[in-house]
Amino acid sequence: MPDTSVKYFASTMSGAPALSGTAGTLIGVLDACLVDGFGSVTVNSLAVASNVATATVSAGHQFAMVGNTGPVIRIAGASPAGLNGDWRVTVTSSTAFTFATSGLSDQTASGTITAKRAPAGFSKAFSGTNKAAYRADDVASTRLYLQVDDSPAQYPTLTMYETMSDVDTGTGASTTRYFAKSSAANSTARAWALYADARLFYLFANADGSTWPSVMVFGDIVPYRSGDAYHALLIGHAAANTTSHLHFVDGTTTGAELARSYSQTGGKVSSSRYSHRKHQYLGAGGMLTPNNVNNALHFWPVECWEGASWARGAMPGLYCPLHDATLASGVVFTVGDRQFKIQQTNSSSYQGALDLTGPWRSS
């Protein structure tokens, strides 16, 4: 069965919440992508034939393929119950999509059936006025908390906690970071894109209306050491502005911390990212596109380091293009059985490749 752990969301999708320079809009995006899902539609018919389920929506579903990768859809309200849950679909038209099933006899489902974009798999553990604390549902994760104070119009604050008892109280706090929603304190919507699995997400925003200077990363890296219980990472802006942007791969520890050292003792530790040393920044510099030697695109994994001394683990789903930012932002390409999307990370000179297909980790 196709992997459903990796989700991709964007502001251009039907039902997506708007992000702007007003209080509460970041929580609206995080709620929709991490916890609730969005874009719910009523399914008029859902029929299984030869282990393929076909759904039709008379009013149009507005789900769409990204390249050859279908969205992960959550079905609810169907009988038999085996049709309910998350499925990676193939969109066949504006009113129909299909997904592979297993163990279900040929039949037409009954019930009041709905379909929506499935959330990444986080819970909102605590909430308050324009505040929220999120944690992964996956019991195999570190299950640390991300507190978001979205009261500021433009630059909400982000804090990682080891434990929390309410939306304002916790232990093992990281340094407070920021996320730039918008360079203007108004309701003008800014484009955004969020990539996630059930343990970590990347959120990028076009906060200044022209480049993509905003980035937030929270969740579990892929640790190199078995038994590492504190491999949760928070990346955010170091200051409340749109100019303290991060390019991921330059060895800097600015704006990034892991929950604890690999020794599992003490508190937060700074973190840097490294990839192919041909690049100072993610996707900036390197060779032309494609590589003349084999007429191919070349990408390199990104490592997460403890400080600048120890390779702690891998950044899940993120790759560094070894080309000089010559691929257009939004381009989707295929490598083997996976598809990747080019995501601009500041100006057009900086870009990464995000795995849309998954899984991002082996377990």
Side-chain angles (χ1 to χ4, degrees):
M1 302 290 286
D3 177 73
T4 60
S5 65
V6 173
K7 317 291 199 307
Y8 166 63
F9 309 94
S11 53
T12 54
M13 294 174 176
S14 178
L19 181 70
S20 69
T22 54
T25 58
L26 175 59
I27 286 176
V29 170
L30 295 178
D31 280 358
C33 298
L34 301 181
V35 181
D36 301 324
F38 61 85
S40 181
V41 294
T42 298
V43 176
N44 294 96
S45 68
L46 180 58
V48 179
S50 301
N51 291 318
V52 175
T54 300
T56 58
V57 181
S58 61
H61 51 70
Q62 299 189 41
F63 303 137
M65 305 287 284
V66 180
N68 295 324
T69 302
V72 177
I73 300 302
R74 178 164 295 178
I75 298 290
S79 180
L83 285 168
N84 296 321
D86 294 355
W87 309 91
R88 188 173 294 279
V89 305
T90 298
V91 177
T92 58
S93 74
S94 62
T95 58
F97 56 84
T98 66
F99 55 88
T101 64
S102 178
L104 294 176
S105 61
D106 291 0
Q107 60 189 293
T108 297
S110 60
T112 303
I113 306 171
T114 59
K116 66 179 179 180
R117 291 187 183 274
F122 286 64
S123 291
K124 185 191 269 189
F126 303 102
S127 62
T129 302
N130 293 324
K131 293 181 180 180
Y134 302 92
R135 71 190 306 212
D137 293 334
D138 190 337
V139 295
S141 71
T142 61
R143 303 211 70 204
L144 268 61
Y145 296 84
L146 172 66
Q147 184 219 47
V148 178
D149 184 347
D150 200 11
S151 304
Q154 297 169 262
Y155 307 109
T157 61
L158 316 171
T159 308
M160 178 169 58
Y161 285 96
E162 291 186 18
T163 70
M164 294 191 76
S165 56
D166 61 54
V167 75
D168 293 310
T169 308
T171 64
S174 69
T175 302
T176 296
R177 304 301 180 188
Y178 301 86
F179 181 76
K181 293 185 292 187
S182 176
S183 57
N186 58 37
S187 59
T188 300
R190 300 300 197 191
W192 56 265
L194 191 149
Y195 307 78
D197 72 356
R199 301 190 199 180
L200 178 141
F201 68 88
Y202 303 89
L203 175 61
F204 302 91
N206 181 216
D208 61 3
S210 58
T211 64
W212 288 74
S214 304
V215 63
M216 177 200 313
V217 182
F218 173 72
D220 294 354
I221 63 171
V222 181
Y224 289 155
R225 177 177 176 174
S226 176
D228 184 349
Y230 296 97
H231 56 278
L233 172 71
L234 174 63
I235 299 177
H237 296 245
N241 56 52
T242 57
T243 60
S244 64
H245 44 70
L246 306 166
H247 303 308
F248 282 102
V249 183
D250 60 358
T252 182
T253 59
T254 301
E257 288 177 335
L258 290 155
R260 291 191 193 182
S261 169
Y262 72 91
S263 67
Q264 311 294 285
T265 59
K268 62 186 184 297
V269 292
S270 62
S271 175
S272 56
R273 274 75 53 213
Y274 291 97
S275 188
H276 197 292
R277 293 308 302 271
K278 179 67 177 176
H279 288 68
Q280 182 182 9
Y281 301 121
L282 192 71
M287 56 186 158
L288 298 178
T289 305
N291 178 14
N292 283 344
V293 175
N294 60 352
N295 196 38
L297 300 176
H298 287 241
F299 296 82
W300 209 258
V302 179
E303 284 190 321
C304 179
W305 283 47
E306 182 169 318
S309 300
W310 309 107
R312 185 74 175 270
M315 297 293 290
L318 176 67
Y319 294 83
C320 177
L322 303 189
H323 305 275
D324 192 15
T326 52
L327 297 170
S329 184
V331 164
V332 177
F333 61 93
T334 302
V335 178
D337 60 354
R338 299 199 182 202
Q339 288 209 300
F340 299 81
K341 183 174 179 291
I342 295 296
Q343 173 64 54
Q344 189 173 326
T345 61
N346 185 36
S347 68
S348 58
S349 298
Y350 308 98
Q351 55 187 215
L354 278 297
D355 179 359
L356 297 174
T357 308
W360 286 356
R361 53 192 93 220
S362 59
S363 61

